[in-house]
Amino acid sequence: MRCDMIHIGETDSTNRWLMEHGGDDDMVVWADYQTQGRGCGTNRWESRRGENLLFSVLMHPLTLEARFQFRISMAVSLAIIDALTSQLSLPSSQFAIKWPNDIYWGDKKLCGILIENQLTGQHIKRSIIGVGLNVNQVEFVSDAPNPVSLSQITGQRHDRNALLAAVIEALPADPSVVDADRYRSLLYRREGYHPYRDTNGTFEARLVDVENDGHLQLCDRQGHERRYAFKEVEFIIKH
């Protein structure tokens, strides 16, 4: 993906910055620090100043129909894993995509993604993709249950500029051509039964599929199929 890149020292949120300053051209803004780094819903993203990679991408996938917008989530997840494997010389099998788009190392969260799409009719007018990647921070003090950084994984410090360039290079200009089968092959908990929780309580299930529109399909131990939209089911992870 080719786009303009802007580096700023501090902002409340790189997603919000792009909402205010983004125009008709694709662009990336990355910051050393966010005062109100956002996760999904009311979640906040912990990051020490200058330690991690905090950025947002503005793209205009005008040919992508709104009903296929989950392909953006797939494309970004795969681009981050591709960047990590190329920069760290680690196999992609060391990382996993926790549905819908968190990047995990084992049972720990390495990267979070927040995607906000603006629709025009049946198509996507623009998409703002916020990414928080834990790079060099080695101590986390918030109540986030399971963070991990690249430095904790490798024992080394890493170049945030090089990582960002690798992610942007790996992002397809047209997310509609994403390899959905590869996304599914890298899913967290893609084998075996694991604990989950929904509005009816806890249960164990195996992952069956992620549909093209992003719905998660599970099958519990009683053989009942369960289908969830985002935020309708929780992964229970031991810490």
Side-chain angles (χ1 to χ4, degrees):
M1 176 181 175
R2 294 183 178 180
C3 58
D4 295 329
M5 300 183 67
I6 298 173
H7 178 219
I8 55 179
E10 179 178 315
T11 184
D12 55 353
S13 159
T14 53
N15 266 32
R16 190 213 56 78
W17 193 96
L18 276 181
M19 288 179 185
E20 180 176 338
H21 300 286
D24 296 330
D25 297 324
D26 294 349
M27 64 186 303
V28 174
V29 59
W30 67 290
D32 292 324
Y33 184 68
Q34 290 184 130
T35 58
Q36 299 180 40
R38 297 166 57 197
C40 293
T42 59
N43 296 339
R44 290 288 178 257
W45 186 263
E46 178 190 355
S47 180
R48 291 187 175 179
R49 187 181 301 272
E51 292 289 284
N52 301 318
L53 188 52
L54 312 170
F55 68 98
S56 293
V57 180
L58 170 63
M59 62 168 55
H60 301 79
L62 301 178
T63 61
L64 184 61
E65 293 183 38
R67 62 194 178 105
F68 295 130
Q69 60 187 287
F70 189 70
R71 292 181 183 177
I72 297 174
S73 189
M74 291 182 177
V76 176
S77 301
L78 291 173
I80 291 172
I81 287 182
D82 287 341
L84 292 173
T85 57
S86 67
Q87 292 294 302
L88 277 64
S89 299
L90 294 174
S92 60
S93 59
Q94 287 214 7
F95 304 99
I97 303 168
K98 176 178 168 289
W99 175 83
N101 52 28
D102 287 339
I103 307 301
Y104 265 50
W105 181 76
D107 290 321
K108 294 184 177 293
K109 184 173 179 177
L110 177 64
C111 176
I113 300 168
L114 175 64
I115 299 175
E116 299 176 285
N117 295 322
Q118 181 180 348
L119 309 181
T120 299
Q122 297 182 348
H123 290 81
I124 300 173
K125 181 178 181 181
R126 69 177 190 169
S127 181
I128 295 178
I129 303 147
V131 177
L133 174 62
N134 295 328
V135 181
N136 293 318
Q137 186 167 338
V138 295
E139 182 180 353
F140 296 87
V141 297
S142 75
D143 57 359
N146 59 339
V148 70
S149 70
L150 294 178
S151 283
Q152 290 175 321
I153 294 171
T154 66
Q156 302 174 351
R157 292 186 63 84
H158 298 276
D159 187 332
R160 293 180 301 149
N161 289 272
L163 283 167
L164 176 60
V167 173
I168 300 307
E169 182 179 358
L171 273 176
D174 182 2
S176 66
V177 300
V178 67
D179 187 344
D181 289 338
R182 182 164 177 256
Y183 168 88
R184 294 182 176 97
S185 74
L186 290 169
L187 283 170
Y188 176 68
R189 291 185 171 177
R190 57 189 176 274
E191 297 180 357
Y193 285 85
H194 301 275
Y196 298 87
R197 181 184 294 113
D198 63 13
T199 56
N200 296 315
T202 60
F203 62 96
E204 288 193 343
R206 61 179 176 85
L207 194 154
V208 177
D209 194 14
V210 174
E211 301 174 6
N212 289 331
D213 64 359
H215 280 86
L216 177 68
Q217 292 182 8
L218 300 175
C219 182
D220 64 27
R221 286 191 179 274
Q222 290 70 44
H224 302 138
E225 292 189 3
R226 299 169 179 249
R227 183 174 183 265
Y228 298 98
F230 184 47
K231 288 293 186 182
E232 291 182 349
V233 66
E234 175 188 354
F235 289 61
I236 299 176
I237 303 172
K238 295 181 180 180
H239 306 296

